[in-house]
Amino acid sequence: GRYYSGDIEGKFWFALQSSDCADRFGVSGQQPNILEYYFGDEDLESVEQEIANIEQSLGEQIKVIEDFFKTNNGYNDTMLAEANIKTSELIDYADLCLGIKIRDCIKENGYCSFNAEC
């Protein structure tokens, strides 16, 4: 799997989440083999706006996805279809989780810096 580390840490969702998904929150990662992200206080508004956009887009599906993962440690296409979850919704949900980590880190520290494996 691919990981991100720094002020926040985690693992990108397998086959769903690209290494540069944090770009959607307003800051572009710097390459070569690792994307370097730095979000400052000045980026908090754009992070919060993208979180709101994702939440609005997903709507009540957020609860459906959260409930799904309360009883499932993994997933496949059949399981998602049975739960009425689209892959695109799962991608947005994974990004939402990352965005919330970024937002919370900025609020706690005044910045959020992390590296993402490509």
Side-chain angles (χ1 to χ4, degrees):
R2 293 167 296 110
Y3 294 85
Y4 53 91
S5 62
D7 292 329
I8 58 173
E9 296 183 357
K11 184 175 182 179
F12 292 108
W13 290 41
F14 179 74
L16 283 176
Q17 206 170 20
S18 67
S19 295
D20 65 354
C21 67
D23 284 3
R24 82 185 281 178
F25 297 99
V27 173
S28 295
Q30 305 299 313
Q31 288 190 347
N33 294 329
I34 293 180
L35 296 172
E36 298 174 355
Y37 285 97
Y38 179 85
F39 292 84
D41 276 329
E42 66 278 5
D43 301 305
L44 183 58
E45 185 177 337
S46 67
V47 171
E48 289 180 329
Q49 181 60 52
E50 188 58 22
I51 288 170
N53 290 344
I54 296 169
E55 288 174 335
Q56 182 178 6
S57 173
L58 287 175
E60 294 182 15
Q61 278 300 98
I62 292 172
K63 182 166 176 20
V64 171
I65 295 168
E66 288 173 343
D67 289 346
F68 175 83
F69 283 112
K70 284 179 184 176
T71 58
N72 296 286
N73 289 337
Y75 60 89
N76 59 40
D77 290 342
T78 303
M79 294 168 71
L80 293 177
E82 290 172 356
N84 198 29
I85 299 171
K86 298 175 186 169
T87 302
S88 61
E89 294 168 336
L90 201 55
I91 291 168
D92 280 346
Y93 181 78
D95 289 356
L96 174 63
C97 293
L98 176 62
I100 290 169
K101 283 184 176 182
I102 293 168
R103 179 201 61 202
D104 292 350
C105 182
I106 295 171
K107 285 184 173 184
E108 184 175 327
N109 301 317
Y111 64 91
C112 182
S113 176
F114 62 96
N115 297 326
E117 296 176 2
C118 293

